[in-house]
Amino acid sequence: MYCHGNTSALPFFQRPLSKLVTSLNQNVVKIETSSTMTFLEKEVLIKLHKLFFNEINAFYEKCITNNNKTFGCITSGGTVANLTAMWVARNNAFPKTEDFEGIEKEGVISALKYYEYNDMAIVGSELMHYSFRKAADILGLGLNNIYSIPTDSEYKMRTDLLIKKLEELKLKRIKVIALIGIACTTEVGSIDNLEVLAEIAKKYNIFFHVDGAWGGSFIISDKYKYLLKGIEKADSITIDGHKLLYTPMGCGVILFKSPYIASKTIKKVASYIIRENSMDHGKTTLEGSRPANILYLHASLTLLGQHGLSTLLDMAIYNTKYMASLKCNYKIDKQSDPIFKDNLNKNINYYNLSNENNSKLNNSLYSKEENQIISYFTNELQFRQKKYGKGFVSKTTIKSAKYSNCKDGISVFRVVIANPLVTKENIKFVIEEQIKFGLDLEKEKSNFIN
Amino acid sequence: MYCHGNTSALPFFQRPLSKLVTSLNQNVVKIETSSTMTFLEKEVLIKLHKLFFNEINAFYEKCITNNNKTFGCITSGGTVANLTAMWVARNNAFPKTEDFEGIEKEGVISALKYYEYNDMAIVGSELMHYSFRKAADILGLGLNNIYSIPTDSEYKMRTDLLIKKLEELKLKRIKVIALIGIACTTEVGSIDNLEVLAEIAKKYNIFFHVDGAWGGSFIISDKYKYLLKGIEKADSITIDGHKLLYTPMGCGVILFKSPYIASKTIKKVASYIIRENSMDHGKTTLEGSRPANILYLHASLTLLGQHGLSTLLDMAIYNTKYMASLKCNYKIDKQSDPIFKDNLNKNINYYNLSNENNSKLNNSLYSKEENQIISYFTNELQFRQKKYGKGFVSKTTIKSAKYSNCKDGISVFRVVIANPLVTKENIKFVIEEQIKFGLDLEKEKSNFIN
């Protein structure tokens, strides 16, 4: 069994569908090469828009026939979705006026000069996905202009520090093009307080983007969607089909609250491919030619349906809770498990020390040496299990909360159990194998902790 | 029969392969989720690098085990490939020094201030693909900082005007981040004089990128590769698997001459996914999670092989020549056909007037009225054939050469016959159907030309 990343077993229908997608080989960039797929994309985008933003039906009816309204784009993944959102946000921050053509035409240098700003920035929590660093580089802000706000003990952005930073940037005449809310973080599965972030974004007149690549799909779950409260106030939302909507790799989605914003900020046309008044979706996508991956997403949403997907998501949480309880039984580490603080966590993070070493560790703030021990065990254990065992658990580095004594953070295991075929026995097996390797490791290094 | 875009019939093996890709659902971002696909990508990238740049074997042997060397990236398409190239080029233009952290970290504003430039620019011919406009917008240059150099009567960039522009930009302290050579243009299939452009780029110390999304694949054809002469001097090359390498949609490639440049300019790592010294390809890709589309490209290159692909490409040219000859027989328009000037053209551009109207047109420089007639007939004919006929031919707008009397350009048909299943009868059918609709059209509008 493999416990890692976003490579889950897919529903049976995706395989024959992929043969169909390849056989027809449609190109969704324009209506002539896409045919019905353009309409299917629009339909799915409206369905998702309705799930998150829940506008009245008249709103969608009015928009659907207007070729300059865009509910969002299907992208090759979450990174391009986040980059597209930041592109829209940046261009939206420096719009056209009577004597300025807008940043799209005049570029960063002229835009900042015209609006009398010294620089521009993206602000989010320290657990922001690395795609925002790519976006900051690509869009010309530079990595130094990403401001990472520390998180609290539940790995949510500290809004007191956020406000402090926003005030500071205001004084420095640095334009914040976007505030990022995360739902949920790749590392620990925490969700920022979206409701509060939306209010702050509104107060400071900042574009509010929610990176829901991992957790956004829980909007489908009646049981857990309450945890996304406030997401409906976002200006844009990223979700990934290939994470928790059970499509094959290569299916990201960016949704825009306002159906006008993409046309207003990033629209491009070309006489040989996507014309001004056409229905072509290529007018507002970062990518050009694109496969009809929308078919997979449409299939998940209709064949599994809201009920089926909801069941799968609830099952993922159930399995995650089981793994967490198992870890407690084995006394691996009760304290480091964020699952108990927040029900939506699809992640478990833990480190794996055998009982003896574990009991020697202080339960509150760890010392520098203790952090080093935890990291050493995690890294070595992953290596051994991968090489000699049957299981594999991915790992990450966590910096915040009680690991603050370690400036480089500590290594912990990170698990996402989205695969519905995973059984309790599989989970038990992986943990027991880790215990076994952990005990070996301890014997060899019995003098490691003095 | 449909004659349009890049949606060709695919080799039989791509369909079952897509089922395999979907079943395994590997993610090439990192080795743990990609497994062998990371090595397959590296192998294919080296194969393509060797085809274009033809370094000695020792070069590749030395590089293959070094995790910080990158021959290129597989992308979701040509647009992301071109954007990646421009990203590398921009960051390469404003590198790190002792007292400057580089544009990647400090951003556009600081970089231009530090290097004392007023702005930055991309320069290419007026037939540059619209993805460069996207890149100029996204990377912060702005559309006004794309300089489109007029083309000559063969639709190649006028190098005299290029040099004039480069001198002008130098005087204005505008940094040219990249010079674009096209092989071949989307509109008419012409290839810039790459040899000369490479020399000019070298002289002015500018990053030289060749957009070979359409024509780059002809490097495989012994018969036609001579037309790409000079491409080996490019700093980066874009090609599209889903155009002339017969893979399904969603397979672009960017190649870098120097295996150091991507690591030096755009590398990003994250503790939970792509680590510093790993073999993970995600370190230097714009996208994050990616499907194993490399399997399709590898299959084309090995199952069809160089000989098979070469045969398909030669056949495309053969069919294109046949269509061109047919147009001459029908006296549609002998002069507007660039196929006779340049063998590599996979495109035919033509407009379709019935004999009588055609003979009334001046054969050299067309008047404003004549251009309007041509555009009217092309647009109306396409509409009628699509609505009432069985064929469909895409169209574009051409501005240069003898259509200069029409500031908005004229509408012409644009055909790419890459589908090897197309027969002479199919081609004849489409042309004859157009003649039929053209005659109807002329009857109705008999007074159109007075």
Side-chain angles (χ1 to χ4, degrees):
Chain A
M1 186 186 90
Y2 277 76
C3 278
H4 63 69
N6 35 8
T7 39
S8 172
L10 294 174
F12 73 97
F13 54 77
Q14 301 291 19
R15 272 170 278 171
L17 258 189
S18 70
K19 229 172 140 177
L20 183 67
V21 168
T22 303
S23 301
L24 295 176
N25 203 26
Q26 283 151 294
N27 179 354
V28 201
V29 69
K30 62 171 176 173
I31 190 94
E32 286 98 335
T33 54
S34 157
S35 182
T36 49
M37 290 302 113
T38 295
F39 303 104
L40 199 71
E41 270 203 0
K42 204 159 195 171
E43 195 184 311
V44 171
L45 286 168
I46 287 177
K47 192 172 192 147
L48 292 171
H49 195 281
K50 176 94 184 154
L51 270 171
F52 283 99
F53 298 110
N54 200 25
E55 303 282 358
I56 55 169
N57 287 343
F59 169 86
Y60 296 105
E61 280 157 19
K62 208 178 129 198
C63 290
I64 199 163
T65 51
N66 186 323
N67 291 334
N68 277 319
K69 290 186 179 171
T70 316
F71 298 97
C73 324
I74 305 297
T75 66
S76 68
T79 295
V80 173
N82 282 335
L83 174 57
T84 304
M86 293 304 98
W87 180 22
V88 165
R90 190 202 61 187
N91 286 9
N92 187 59
F94 304 99
K96 200 156 69 170
T97 66
E98 258 185 24
D99 55 347
F100 175 66
E101 289 189 273
I103 193 170
E104 182 195 6
K105 291 212 173 126
E106 299 210 12
V108 167
I109 297 290
S110 302
L112 271 77
K113 205 177 284 170
Y114 179 82
Y115 281 98
E116 295 176 351
Y117 280 104
N118 296 318
D119 221 326
M120 49 186 181
I122 291 172
V123 180
S125 100
E126 58 185 336
L127 292 174
M128 255 185 296
H129 190 250
Y130 77 109
S131 55
F132 291 100
R133 281 193 283 133
K134 284 186 185 173
D137 174 6
I138 294 169
L139 293 167
L141 289 80
L143 302 182
N144 294 350
N145 280 313
I146 290 225
Y147 292 92
S148 299
I149 309 297
T151 50
D152 60 20
S153 61
E154 293 183 356
Y155 302 96
K156 294 164 190 270
M157 196 200 299
R158 279 187 55 186
T159 48
D160 56 331
L161 297 178
L162 168 65
I163 290 170
K164 211 174 137 191
K165 180 56 75 183
L166 293 179
E167 288 295 336
E168 181 196 318
L169 294 172
K170 207 170 148 185
L171 275 176
K172 287 183 178 168
R173 290 291 299 166
I174 293 176
K175 175 74 182 172
V176 179
I177 64 162
L179 173 65
I180 314 299
I182 317 177
C184 29
T185 59
T186 312
E187 266 123 322
V188 300
S190 55
I191 301 174
D192 283 331
N193 193 331
L194 304 178
E195 192 89 43
V196 175
L197 294 190
E199 271 169 41
I200 296 172
K202 195 177 169 191
K203 188 184 157 199
Y204 286 87
N205 192 26
I206 300 171
F207 187 97
F208 179 41
H209 172 69
V210 173
D211 180 6
W214 263 116
S217 305
F218 277 91
I219 198 79
I220 280 168
S221 161
D222 282 337
K223 205 165 165 187
Y224 295 110
K225 73 174 171 195
Y226 76 94
L227 288 159
L228 295 171
K229 215 180 150 213
I231 202 168
E232 71 282 359
K233 291 174 184 160
D235 292 301
S236 59
I237 300 170
T238 290
I239 46 172
D240 260 354
H242 58 234
K243 289 199 172 78
L244 294 175
L245 292 176
Y246 295 86
T247 78
M249 268 298 132
C251 183
V253 183
I254 175 76
L255 296 170
F256 300 113
K257 187 182 181 71
S258 158
Y260 296 99
I261 201 162
S263 277
K264 218 178 66 188
T265 52
I266 63 168
K267 189 170 77 176
K268 304 279 177 297
V269 293
S271 60
Y272 50 89
I273 186 158
I274 34 172
R275 294 181 193 94
E276 181 65 33
N277 291 314
S278 66
M279 286 174 284
D280 305 340
H281 283 184
K283 285 189 289 188
T284 51
T285 57
L286 185 146
E287 292 160 280
S289 294
R290 286 183 299 119
N293 288 352
I294 191 64
L295 218 57
Y296 305 120
L297 190 52
H298 183 257
S300 274
L301 291 169
T302 49
L303 297 184
L304 292 174
Q306 212 156 326
H307 181 70
L309 280 167
S310 192
T311 306
L312 286 171
L313 294 176
D314 295 353
M315 197 165 161
I317 299 289
Y318 176 82
N319 275 331
T320 309
K321 280 186 175 170
Y322 172 72
M323 188 163 184
S325 73
L326 214 55
K327 291 197 303 98
C328 294
N329 289 340
Y330 288 114
K331 293 201 179 91
I332 292 174
D333 176 44
K334 205 178 268 176
Q335 284 70 33
S336 72
D337 187 4
I339 194 76
F340 298 111
K341 294 177 192 147
D342 182 342
N343 277 325
L344 184 45
N345 276 295
K346 43 145 204 37
N347 286 16
I348 308 180
N349 294 100
Y350 64 98
Y351 44 82
N352 198 335
L353 293 176
S354 66
N355 297 353
E356 200 195 339
N357 279 345
N358 198 32
S359 63
K360 287 185 190 165
L361 293 176
N362 185 338
N363 275 332
S364 57
L365 189 68
Y366 292 152
S367 70
K368 200 178 152 191
E369 290 69 29
E370 284 168 336
N371 281 328
Q372 279 172 350
I373 294 167
I374 295 171
S375 288
Y376 172 81
F377 265 81
T378 303
N379 293 332
E380 187 63 22
L381 192 55
Q382 190 199 43
F383 174 78
R384 292 193 182 195
Q385 189 172 29
K386 190 179 173 188
K387 190 159 183 185
Y388 306 111
K390 288 183 173 173
F392 172 76
V393 183
S394 76
K395 61 178 184 181
T396 189
T397 305
I398 289 185
K399 285 189 184 180
S400 45
K402 62 181 171 182
Y403 313 109
S404 59
N405 271 333
C406 194
K407 80 172 184 6
D408 299 323
I410 69 153
S411 295
V412 295
F413 288 109
R414 167 183 171 264
V415 186
V416 182
I417 317 179
N419 186 338
L421 302 180
V422 166
T423 62
K424 284 189 174 182
E425 284 63 41
N426 295 144
I427 296 171
K428 214 172 153 187
F429 175 84
V430 169
I431 291 284
E432 284 179 350
E433 198 177 64
Q434 286 196 325
I435 300 280
K436 188 173 76 66
F437 284 111
L439 287 170
D440 291 351
L441 194 57
E442 201 193 353
K443 265 178 230 155
E444 291 165 38
K445 303 279 168 185
S446 56
N447 297 323
F448 194 83
I449 306 174
N450 294 316
Chain B
M1 185 186 90
Y2 277 76
C3 279
H4 62 68
N6 35 9
T7 39
S8 171
L10 294 174
F12 73 97
F13 54 78
Q14 301 291 19
R15 271 170 280 170
L17 258 189
S18 71
K19 229 172 140 177
L20 183 67
V21 168
T22 303
S23 301
L24 295 176
N25 203 26
Q26 282 151 293
N27 178 354
V28 201
V29 69
K30 62 171 175 173
I31 190 95
E32 286 98 336
T33 53
S34 156
S35 181
T36 48
M37 290 302 113
T38 295
F39 303 104
L40 199 72
E41 270 203 1
K42 203 159 195 170
E43 194 185 311
V44 171
L45 286 168
I46 286 177
K47 192 172 192 148
L48 292 171
H49 194 280
K50 175 95 184 153
L51 270 170
F52 283 99
F53 298 111
N54 200 24
E55 304 282 357
I56 55 169
N57 287 343
F59 169 86
Y60 297 104
E61 280 157 20
K62 207 177 129 199
C63 290
I64 198 164
T65 52
N66 186 323
N67 291 333
N68 278 318
K69 290 186 179 170
T70 315
F71 298 96
C73 323
I74 305 297
T75 66
S76 68
T79 295
V80 173
N82 282 335
L83 174 57
T84 304
M86 293 304 97
W87 179 22
V88 166
R90 190 203 61 187
N91 286 9
N92 187 58
F94 304 99
K96 201 156 70 169
T97 67
E98 258 184 24
D99 55 346
F100 175 66
E101 289 189 272
I103 193 170
E104 182 195 7
K105 291 213 173 125
E106 299 210 12
V108 167
I109 297 290
S110 302
L112 272 77
K113 206 177 284 171
Y114 178 83
Y115 281 98
E116 295 175 350
Y117 279 104
N118 296 318
D119 221 326
M120 48 186 183
I122 291 172
V123 179
S125 99
E126 60 185 336
L127 292 174
M128 255 184 295
H129 189 250
Y130 77 109
S131 55
F132 291 101
R133 280 193 283 132
K134 284 187 185 173
D137 174 5
I138 294 169
L139 292 167
L141 289 80
L143 302 181
N144 294 350
N145 280 313
I146 290 224
Y147 292 91
S148 299
I149 310 297
T151 50
D152 61 20
S153 61
E154 293 183 356
Y155 302 96
K156 293 163 190 270
M157 196 200 299
R158 278 187 56 186
T159 48
D160 56 330
L161 297 179
L162 167 66
I163 290 169
K164 210 174 138 192
K165 180 56 75 183
L166 293 179
E167 288 295 336
E168 181 196 319
L169 294 172
K170 206 169 149 186
L171 276 176
K172 288 183 177 169
R173 290 291 300 165
I174 292 176
K175 175 74 181 173
V176 180
I177 64 161
L179 173 65
I180 314 299
I182 316 177
C184 28
T185 58
T186 312
E187 265 122 322
V188 301
S190 54
I191 301 174
D192 282 331
N193 193 331
L194 304 178
E195 192 90 42
V196 175
L197 294 190
E199 271 170 40
I200 295 172
K202 196 177 169 191
K203 189 184 157 201
Y204 286 87
N205 192 27
I206 300 171
F207 187 97
F208 179 41
H209 172 70
V210 173
D211 180 6
W214 264 116
S217 305
F218 277 91
I219 198 79
I220 279 167
S221 161
D222 282 337
K223 204 164 165 186
Y224 295 110
K225 73 174 171 194
Y226 75 95
L227 288 159
L228 295 171
K229 214 180 151 214
I231 201 167
E232 71 282 359
K233 291 174 184 159
D235 291 301
S236 60
I237 300 170
T238 290
I239 47 172
D240 261 353
H242 58 234
K243 288 198 172 78
L244 294 175
L245 293 175
Y246 294 88
T247 78
M249 267 298 132
C251 184
V253 183
I254 175 75
L255 296 170
F256 300 113
K257 187 182 181 73
S258 158
Y260 296 99
I261 201 162
S263 277
K264 219 178 64 187
T265 52
I266 63 168
K267 189 170 77 176
K268 304 278 177 296
V269 292
S271 60
Y272 49 90
I273 186 157
I274 34 172
R275 294 182 193 93
E276 180 65 33
N277 290 314
S278 66
M279 286 174 284
D280 305 340
H281 282 184
K283 286 189 289 189
T284 51
T285 57
L286 185 146
E287 292 160 280
S289 294
R290 286 183 299 118
N293 287 352
I294 191 65
L295 217 58
Y296 305 120
L297 190 52
H298 183 258
S300 274
L301 291 169
T302 50
L303 298 183
L304 292 174
Q306 211 156 327
H307 182 70
L309 280 167
S310 192
T311 307
L312 286 172
L313 294 176
D314 294 353
M315 196 165 161
I317 300 289
Y318 176 83
N319 275 331
T320 310
K321 281 187 174 168
Y322 172 72
M323 188 164 183
S325 73
L326 214 55
K327 291 197 303 99
C328 294
N329 289 340
Y330 287 115
K331 293 202 179 89
I332 292 174
D333 176 44
K334 204 178 270 177
Q335 285 69 33
S336 72
D337 186 5
I339 195 75
F340 298 111
K341 293 175 192 147
D342 181 343
N343 277 326
L344 184 45
N345 276 295
K346 43 147 205 35
N347 286 16
I348 308 180
N349 295 98
Y350 64 98
Y351 43 82
N352 198 334
L353 293 176
S354 65
N355 297 352
E356 199 194 340
N357 280 345
N358 198 33
S359 62
K360 286 185 189 166
L361 293 176
N362 184 338
N363 275 333
S364 57
L365 190 68
Y366 292 152
S367 71
K368 200 177 152 191
E369 289 69 29
E370 284 167 336
N371 281 328
Q372 279 172 349
I373 294 167
I374 295 171
S375 288
Y376 172 82
F377 265 80
T378 303
N379 293 332
E380 187 64 21
L381 192 54
Q382 189 199 45
F383 175 78
R384 292 192 181 196
Q385 190 172 27
K386 190 179 172 188
K387 189 159 183 185
Y388 306 110
K390 288 184 173 172
F392 171 76
V393 182
S394 75
K395 61 178 184 182
T396 189
T397 305
I398 289 185
K399 284 189 184 180
S400 45
K402 63 181 172 182
Y403 313 109
S404 59
N405 271 333
C406 194
K407 82 172 181 10
D408 299 322
I410 69 152
S411 295
V412 295
F413 288 109
R414 167 183 171 263
V415 186
V416 182
I417 317 179
N419 186 338
L421 302 179
V422 166
T423 62
K424 284 189 174 182
E425 284 63 40
N426 295 144
I427 296 171
K428 213 171 153 188
F429 175 84
V430 169
I431 291 285
E432 284 180 350
E433 198 178 64
Q434 287 196 325
I435 300 281
K436 188 173 76 68
F437 285 111
L439 286 170
D440 290 352
L441 195 56
E442 200 193 354
K443 264 178 229 155
E444 292 165 37
K445 304 278 168 185
S446 55
N447 298 323
F448 194 83
I449 307 174
N450 295 317

